[in-house]
Coordinates of all heavy atoms in Angstrom, one line a residue:
T110 N 24.9 110.3 47.6 CA 25.7 109.5 48.5 C 25.3 108.0 48.6 O 26.1 107.1 48.6 CB 25.6 110.1 49.9 OG1 24.3 110.3 50.3 CG2 26.3 111.5 50.0
W111 N 24.0 107.8 48.7 CA 23.5 106.4 48.9 C 23.7 105.6 47.6 O 24.2 104.5 47.6 CB 22.0 106.3 49.3 CG 21.6 105.1 50.0 CD1 21.9 103.8 49.6 CD2 20.9 105.0 51.2 NE1 21.4 102.9 50.5 CE2 20.8 103.6 51.5 CE3 20.4 105.9 52.1 CZ2 20.1 103.1 52.7 CZ3 19.8 105.4 53.2 CH2 19.6 104.0 53.5
S112 N 23.4 106.2 46.4 CA 23.7 105.5 45.2 C 25.2 105.2 45.0 O 25.5 104.1 44.6 CB 23.3 106.5 44.0 OG 21.9 106.6 43.9
T113 N 26.0 106.1 45.4 CA 27.5 105.9 45.2 C 28.0 104.8 46.2 O 28.8 103.9 45.8 CB 28.3 107.2 45.5 OG1 27.6 108.2 44.7 CG2 29.7 107.0 45.0
T114 N 27.5 104.7 47.4 CA 28.0 103.7 48.3 C 27.5 102.3 47.8 O 28.2 101.3 48.0 CB 27.5 103.9 49.8 OG1 26.1 104.0 49.8 CG2 28.1 105.2 50.3
V115 N 26.3 102.2 47.3 CA 25.8 101.0 46.7 C 26.7 100.6 45.5 O 27.2 99.4 45.5 CB 24.3 101.2 46.2 CG1 24.0 100.0 45.2 CG2 23.4 101.2 47.3
I116 N 27.0 101.5 44.6 CA 27.8 101.1 43.5 C 29.2 100.7 43.9 O 29.8 99.8 43.3 CB 27.8 102.4 42.5 CG1 26.5 102.6 41.9 CG2 28.9 102.2 41.4 CD1 26.3 104.0 41.3
M117 N 29.8 101.4 44.8 CA 31.1 101.1 45.3 C 31.2 99.7 45.9 O 32.2 99.0 45.7 CB 31.6 102.2 46.2 CG 31.8 103.6 45.6 SD 32.2 104.9 46.7 CE 34.0 104.8 46.6
K118 N 30.2 99.3 46.7 CA 30.3 98.0 47.3 C 30.1 96.9 46.2 O 30.8 95.9 46.3 CB 29.2 97.9 48.3 CG 29.4 98.7 49.6 CD 28.4 98.5 50.6 CE 28.6 99.4 51.8 NZ 28.3 100.8 51.6
I119 N 29.2 97.1 45.2 CA 29.1 96.2 44.2 C 30.4 96.1 43.4 O 30.8 95.0 43.0 CB 27.9 96.6 43.2 CG1 26.6 96.5 43.9 CG2 27.9 95.8 41.9 CD1 25.4 97.0 43.1
D120 N 31.1 97.2 43.2 CA 32.4 97.2 42.5 C 33.4 96.3 43.3 O 34.1 95.5 42.6 CB 33.0 98.6 42.5 CG 32.3 99.5 41.5 OD1 31.5 99.1 40.7 OD2 32.5 100.8 41.7
L121 N 33.4 96.4 44.6 CA 34.5 95.8 45.4 C 34.3 94.3 45.5 O 35.2 93.5 45.4 CB 34.5 96.4 46.8 CG 35.0 97.8 46.9 CD1 34.8 98.3 48.3 CD2 36.5 97.9 46.5
V122 N 33.0 93.8 45.7 CA 32.8 92.4 46.0 C 32.8 91.5 44.9 O 33.0 90.3 45.0 CB 31.6 92.2 46.9 CG1 31.7 93.1 48.2 CG2 30.3 92.5 46.2
G123 N 32.4 92.0 43.7 CA 32.3 91.0 42.5 C 31.0 90.3 42.6 O 30.1 90.5 43.5
P124 N 30.8 89.3 41.7 CA 29.4 88.7 41.6 C 29.1 87.7 42.7 O 27.9 87.5 42.9 CB 29.5 88.0 40.2 CG 31.0 87.7 40.0 CD 31.7 88.9 40.7
K125 N 30.0 87.1 43.4 CA 29.7 86.0 44.2 C 29.0 86.4 45.5 O 28.2 85.7 46.1 CB 30.9 85.2 44.6 CG 31.5 84.4 43.4 CD 32.7 83.6 43.8 CE 33.3 82.9 42.6 NZ 34.5 82.1 43.0
R126 N 29.3 87.6 46.0 CA 28.8 88.0 47.3 C 27.9 89.3 47.2 O 27.8 90.1 48.1 CB 29.9 88.3 48.3 CG 30.8 87.1 48.5 CD 30.1 85.9 49.3 NE 29.7 86.3 50.6 CZ 30.5 86.3 51.7 NH1 31.8 86.0 51.5 NH2 30.1 86.7 52.8
R127 N 27.3 89.4 46.0 CA 26.6 90.7 45.7 C 25.4 90.9 46.7 O 25.2 92.0 47.2 CB 26.1 90.7 44.3 CG 25.6 92.0 43.8 CD 25.5 91.9 42.3 NE 26.8 92.0 41.6 CZ 27.1 91.3 40.5 NH1 26.3 90.4 40.0 NH2 28.3 91.5 40.0
G128 N 24.6 89.8 46.9 CA 23.5 89.9 47.8 C 23.9 90.2 49.2 O 23.3 91.1 49.9
T129 N 25.0 89.6 49.7 CA 25.5 89.9 51.0 C 26.0 91.3 51.1 O 25.7 92.0 52.1 CB 26.7 88.9 51.3 OG1 26.3 87.6 51.2 CG2 27.3 89.2 52.7
A130 N 26.6 91.8 50.1 CA 27.1 93.2 50.1 C 25.9 94.2 50.2 O 26.0 95.1 51.0 CB 27.9 93.5 48.9
M131 N 24.9 93.9 49.5 CA 23.7 94.8 49.5 C 23.0 94.7 50.8 O 22.4 95.7 51.3 CB 22.8 94.5 48.3 CG 23.4 94.9 47.0 SD 23.8 96.6 46.8 CE 25.6 96.6 47.3
G132 N 23.0 93.5 51.4 CA 22.3 93.4 52.7 C 23.0 94.2 53.8 O 22.4 94.9 54.6
L133 N 24.4 94.1 53.7 CA 25.1 94.9 54.7 C 25.0 96.4 54.5 O 24.9 97.2 55.4 CB 26.6 94.5 54.6 CG 26.9 93.1 55.2 CD1 28.4 92.7 54.8 CD2 26.8 93.1 56.7
N134 N 25.0 96.8 53.2 CA 24.8 98.2 52.9 C 23.5 98.8 53.4 O 23.4 99.8 54.1 CB 24.9 98.4 51.4 CG 24.9 99.9 51.0 OD1 25.9 100.6 51.1 ND2 23.7 100.4 50.6
E135 N 22.4 98.1 53.1 CA 21.1 98.5 53.4 C 20.8 98.4 54.9 O 20.1 99.1 55.6 CB 20.0 97.8 52.6 CG 20.2 98.0 51.1 CD 20.2 99.4 50.7 OE1 19.2 100.1 50.7 OE2 21.3 99.9 50.3
F136 N 21.4 97.3 55.5 CA 21.4 97.2 57.0 C 21.9 98.4 57.7 O 21.3 98.9 58.6 CB 22.1 95.9 57.4 CG 22.7 96.0 58.8 CD1 21.9 95.8 59.9 CD2 24.1 96.2 59.0 CE1 22.5 95.9 61.2 CE2 24.6 96.3 60.3 CZ 23.8 96.1 61.4
A137 N 23.1 98.8 57.3 CA 23.7 100.0 57.9 C 22.9 101.2 57.8 O 22.6 102.0 58.7 CB 25.1 100.2 57.4
G138 N 22.4 101.5 56.5 CA 21.6 102.7 56.3 C 20.3 102.7 57.1 O 20.0 103.7 57.7
Y139 N 19.6 101.6 57.1 CA 18.2 101.7 57.7 C 18.3 101.4 59.2 O 17.4 101.8 59.9 CB 17.3 100.7 56.9 CG 16.9 101.3 55.6 CD1 17.5 101.0 54.4 CD2 15.9 102.3 55.6 CE1 17.2 101.7 53.3 CE2 15.5 102.9 54.4 CZ 16.2 102.6 53.2 OH 15.8 103.2 52.1
L140 N 19.3 100.7 59.7 CA 19.5 100.7 61.1 C 19.7 102.1 61.6 O 19.2 102.5 62.7 CB 20.6 99.7 61.5 CG 20.7 99.5 63.0 CD1 19.5 98.9 63.6 CD2 22.0 98.7 63.3
A141 N 20.5 102.9 60.9 CA 20.8 104.3 61.3 C 19.5 105.1 61.2 O 19.3 106.0 62.0 CB 21.9 104.9 60.4
V142 N 18.7 104.9 60.2 CA 17.4 105.5 60.1 C 16.6 105.3 61.4 O 16.0 106.2 62.0 CB 16.6 105.1 58.9 CG1 15.2 105.6 58.9 CG2 17.3 105.5 57.6
A143 N 16.6 104.0 61.8 CA 15.8 103.6 62.9 C 16.3 104.2 64.2 O 15.5 104.8 65.0 CB 15.7 102.1 63.1
I144 N 17.6 104.1 64.5 CA 18.2 104.6 65.7 C 18.0 106.1 65.8 O 17.6 106.6 66.8 CB 19.7 104.2 65.8 CG1 19.8 102.7 66.0 CG2 20.3 104.9 66.9 CD1 21.2 102.2 65.9
T145 N 18.2 106.8 64.7 CA 18.1 108.2 64.7 C 16.6 108.7 64.9 O 16.3 109.6 65.6 CB 18.6 108.8 63.4 OG1 20.0 108.4 63.2 CG2 18.7 110.4 63.5
A146 N 15.7 107.9 64.3 CA 14.3 108.2 64.5 C 13.9 108.1 65.9 O 13.1 108.9 66.5 CB 13.4 107.3 63.6

């Protein structure tokens, strides 16, 4: 699941906003880790 959501976001945004896309992806995942913990 996590690999696929990473790949899908990279697919969608193209090269110009790749870092932003990965920041948003990992933000969502690890904020959820924190809140659930």
